[in-house]
Amino acid sequence: MTNRSLDEQYMDLALQLAAKAKGRTSPNPLVGAVVVKNGKVIASGWHQKAGEPHAEAIALRKAGKAAQGATLYVTLEPCSHTNKRTPPCAPLVITSGVKRVVVAMIDPNPQVSGGGLKAIKRAGIKVTTGVLKDEAEKLNEAFVKRMATGLPFVTMKIAQTLDGKIATAKGESKWITGPDAREAGHYLRDTHDAILVGINTVLKDDPSLTTRIPGGRDPIRVVVDSSLRIPMKAKIITQRSSARTIVATVDGASESKLRKLEAAGVEVVITRAAQGRVDLKDLMKKLGMRSIMSLLIEGGAEVHASALKAGIVDKAVIFIAPMLMTGKDSLCSIGGRSPAKLAQAVKFSEAEVDTVGDDLMVEGYIQR
């Protein structure tokens, strides 16, 4: 077995550890670390929450003096800058006594990028980079996008029939997909910073938009509501949650309703108008400024269409029930107007298909 294959095995373990904190570290990245000596893992750790110790610090503290002469595997370049809550990790790595550091990806944060590894190399420690780089970047795709653009990584989630329907002509939609798919949808909520719906979904379904799984974390609730039609009795306003509610509207919306919402603890965000409606691109900028790193869109149909048209969607997860709704009058999962040419259709890349209970799950990235 070559050193390269061993490096990949230990880095894979570090990536698995990093993934344990999905949805918990924002606006920080997911990071895992493993300390290996004489072919054995002697310590490991992962960054569990923003403001808490970093993965390298946890693993090296556990290893103690045994780290002398060991190899440190870490999924992201050790940081070299001091933030408000945690000290830099590069000096800890240098003083730990490890003889080699293996890193999956360079930190895309411009405050860090390359600086941590330069300091470690200057200290005479051997450095290897790029081991399982693609896997590390995919794990931290939201962090990578926000560092590059300041915008959240956007996933669109749809539950539909085989023929692309989400409700009957009379609006019945519960439940198209089965319990396993619905549970998977709640795990998506749990691992995203925020969830976005349109005002029509609030008026029709009055959802709570919480996460109903053991130990789940509620995402920030975002409602696109250009005319501030949201009822003050809506669950996302009145129902207790650890997450706040944001209502996005445009300039000129009712001042008295705006004040009522703010008095109820709702944050109102005013965006530019696009044909009289909330400009979703501008909204993404404003959410990014609020340290929202990942956003889950759960519709409905017109919001799905608007989001795709605005080009803000990075990824789609579609749960497909083994049934046919039939009929032109049933509601399609994506509204709006169809493209004039097939070449203008939205295409997926890296599409994967899996089964979730009796349903299919199709997951892929939106091609630009």
Side-chain angles (χ1 to χ4, degrees):
M1 188 175 292
T2 65
N3 287 335
R4 175 65 177 177
S5 62
L6 277 173
D7 283 349
E8 289 176 345
Q9 287 185 46
Y10 292 129
M11 188 61 74
D12 183 63
L13 175 57
L15 287 167
Q16 290 179 47
L17 292 170
K20 287 176 177 283
K22 274 188 177 180
R24 304 297 184 270
T25 63
S26 181
N28 292 350
L30 295 160
V31 185
V34 174
V35 182
V36 177
K37 190 173 185 179
N38 299 325
K40 293 182 179 181
V41 175
I42 61 171
S44 62
W46 67 94
H47 182 44
Q48 298 181 20
K49 187 178 180 182
E52 294 189 2
H54 291 180
E56 308 95 305
I58 294 171
L60 291 172
R61 186 185 69 238
K62 288 180 180 178
K65 293 181 179 179
Q68 291 280 341
T71 297
L72 171 67
Y73 292 84
V74 60
T75 59
L76 185 73
E77 172 187 4
C79 60
S80 56
H81 72 299
T82 301
N83 62 31
K84 294 179 181 178
R85 293 184 285 187
T86 51
C89 289
L92 290 175
V93 174
I94 293 168
T95 58
S96 69
V98 298
K99 67 177 182 180
R100 181 171 176 245
V101 175
V102 182
V103 173
M105 62 178 284
I106 305 300
D107 195 328
N109 184 342
Q111 290 183 298
V112 178
S113 189
L117 292 183
K118 285 180 182 177
I120 291 169
K121 288 178 181 178
R122 282 198 301 267
I125 299 170
K126 184 178 179 183
V127 172
T128 302
T129 61
V131 177
L132 300 188
K133 175 176 176 285
D134 291 346
E135 292 86 341
E137 288 182 344
K138 186 172 183 177
L139 179 67
N140 271 310
E141 57 194 3
F143 179 74
V144 170
K145 182 185 179 184
R146 186 161 178 269
M147 284 295 108
T149 67
L151 304 174
F153 185 91
V154 179
T155 300
M156 185 173 68
K157 175 249 176 181
I158 297 174
Q160 65 176 43
T161 62
L162 278 170
D163 52 346
K165 307 294 185 177
I166 58 174
T168 66
K170 291 186 177 181
E172 184 183 354
S173 60
K174 295 182 179 180
W175 296 100
I176 287 175
T177 52
D180 292 338
R182 296 199 296 276
E183 183 179 40
H186 280 283
Y187 275 103
L188 282 174
R189 291 183 180 184
D190 174 65
T191 55
H192 282 76
D193 293 341
I195 181 172
L196 181 146
V197 298
I199 183 58
N200 288 332
T201 295
V202 175
L203 295 174
K204 176 180 172 291
D205 299 331
D206 191 21
S208 59
L209 302 181
T210 52
T211 301
R212 293 183 286 279
I213 54 174
R217 179 190 60 92
D218 291 343
I220 297 168
R221 285 83 58 87
V222 183
V223 181
V224 177
D225 184 7
S226 303
S227 302
L228 290 186
R229 292 185 289 154
I230 187 169
M232 295 305 298
K233 293 183 178 179
K235 288 179 182 176
I236 57 172
I237 296 176
T238 62
Q239 192 175 76
R240 279 190 171 187
S241 170
S242 58
R244 68 187 191 275
T245 296
I246 296 173
V247 172
T249 191
V250 296
D251 200 17
S254 169
E255 283 289 338
S256 61
K257 184 64 172 288
L258 188 152
R259 286 193 294 270
K260 287 180 182 178
L261 288 168
E262 289 180 336
V266 174
E267 181 181 0
V268 179
V269 174
I270 298 175
T271 74
R272 289 198 307 260
Q275 298 179 330
R277 297 183 176 183
V278 168
D279 184 322
L280 293 179
K281 285 186 177 180
D282 191 41
L283 176 58
M284 294 305 106
K285 290 179 183 178
K286 288 179 165 56
L287 295 181
M289 291 169 62
R290 286 161 173 77
S291 296
I292 292 175
M293 199 160 70
S294 58
L295 175 73
L296 181 68
I297 295 180
E298 283 199 12
E302 295 306 318
V303 169
H304 291 156
S306 297
L308 288 169
K309 185 177 180 181
I312 66 168
V313 182
D314 298 291
K315 188 177 186 178
V317 179
I318 304 176
F319 297 97
I320 304 172
M323 70 169 76
L324 298 171
M325 187 81 73
T326 74
K328 292 181 180 179
D329 55 351
S330 53
L331 184 62
C332 289
S333 59
I334 300 173
R337 296 179 65 86
S338 61
K341 298 180 180 180
L342 187 59
Q344 297 171 323
V346 177
K347 297 180 178 64
F348 276 29
S349 65
E350 301 178 46
E352 297 180 0
V353 181
D354 202 354
T355 55
V356 182
D358 294 328
D359 303 311
L360 293 176
M361 183 180 75
V362 180
E363 182 176 352
Y365 295 88
I366 303 299
Q367 287 187 9
R368 298 300 183 205

